[in-house]
Amino acid sequence: MNKFIQFNTRKTDTKSNINQARKQGRIPAVLYGIGKETLTLEVNEKELLDILKKNPRAILQGKVSEELEVPVVVQNIQKDTLSGKILHIDFQHVNMKKSMDSKVTIHFAGEAVGIKAGGTLQVEIYEVEVRCMPEDLPTSMEVDISGLDIGDQLLVADLIFKDGIEVLTEPSTVMIQIKTVHEEEEEEAVVTPA
């Protein structure tokens, strides 16, 4: 947990002040889980985007004030539907002594033999939900798919995490499969309305 994010106190919640802050590269934020109160804050947009690009699930060291520095995770991101710009972000305080639920991004590596044989790759999910102690939370997981042939699939049950990480996603969930081009066309024909 070496990533650091600086929180600044948000003075007012008027729409014009929030819009002004966004124009100046500051994103409105809230922080839950420290005591009973929710802290109304803002973060630097450039700093936040840099963190999210590297690892959106990272546990960050959030500096709220000179006296208060706490571990936090990104809980929710609200984006503008047209521009994709971040409008608001929720952070959650992490208790480093308790297990937590989070998601782990799966990166598929290699070129499946089924693709070389003319099949198509269909990815169903890119992340799985896990429960573990905060210090055991992996940033991501790389899975080699080069051995998958046409008709093969990779299930959540096929993932191997280190001890102490409980996978919460249903083990029978299909993550990725290699289909024939014919199967793919049949599925599209069923989905396409007449």
Side-chain angles (χ1 to χ4, degrees):
M1 185 181 54
N2 50 4
K3 284 286 174 204
F4 173 84
I5 189 158
Q6 176 69 52
F7 291 115
N8 296 308
T9 306
R10 203 168 3 135
K11 306 287 186 276
T12 57
D13 260 345
T14 65
K15 197 169 186 172
S16 64
N17 282 359
I18 289 172
N19 287 337
Q20 185 64 32
R22 285 191 188 118
K23 282 179 189 162
Q24 294 171 351
R26 300 189 321 265
I27 299 171
V30 292
L31 174 57
Y32 303 105
I34 299 176
K36 288 186 170 58
E37 67 176 316
T38 298
L39 300 179
T40 307
L41 307 161
E42 57 186 31
V43 293
N44 179 289
E45 182 177 24
K46 188 178 180 306
E47 184 183 349
L48 179 70
L49 290 173
D50 186 48
I51 288 167
L52 293 176
K53 194 166 39 177
K54 288 184 181 129
N55 180 11
R57 305 270 180 226
I59 296 172
L60 310 169
Q61 198 59 29
K63 186 168 186 175
V64 180
S65 66
E66 287 303 317
E67 305 79 43
L68 185 59
E69 212 172 279
V70 292
V72 299
V73 289
V74 172
Q75 192 69 21
N76 188 41
I77 299 173
Q78 182 187 343
K79 290 185 178 181
D80 183 285
T81 48
L82 296 174
S83 69
K85 281 183 77 71
I86 297 175
L87 299 174
H88 191 274
I89 188 157
D90 295 356
F91 290 91
Q92 176 77 41
H93 172 245
V94 176
N95 183 338
M96 297 302 285
K97 293 179 173 66
K98 277 186 169 176
S99 66
M100 63 180 283
D101 294 357
S102 187
K103 289 189 166 94
V104 175
T105 303
I106 307 298
H107 297 291
F108 301 109
E111 188 181 352
V113 291
I115 302 295
K116 294 175 189 167
T120 59
L121 181 75
Q122 186 172 329
V123 179
E124 303 294 340
I125 59 171
Y126 282 99
E127 51 186 22
V128 293
E129 188 140 0
V130 298
R131 178 175 292 150
C132 62
M133 293 300 286
E135 67 269 12
D136 293 333
L137 182 66
T139 54
S140 63
M141 183 180 204
E142 191 167 285
V143 178
D144 181 15
I145 61 165
S146 54
L148 295 181
D149 207 343
I150 293 173
D152 288 348
Q153 56 186 17
L154 186 71
L155 305 178
V156 169
D158 297 325
L159 296 176
I160 300 167
F161 283 97
K162 68 178 187 174
D163 287 348
I165 299 175
E166 178 189 353
V167 179
L168 303 178
T169 304
E170 180 60 44
S172 61
T173 304
V174 175
M175 297 176 56
I176 192 169
Q177 51 190 329
I178 311 294
K179 296 187 162 195
T180 62
V181 176
H182 180 65
E183 279 181 299
E184 191 81 4
E185 286 167 357
E186 276 180 9
E187 269 188 21
E188 282 175 18
V190 171
V191 174
T192 310

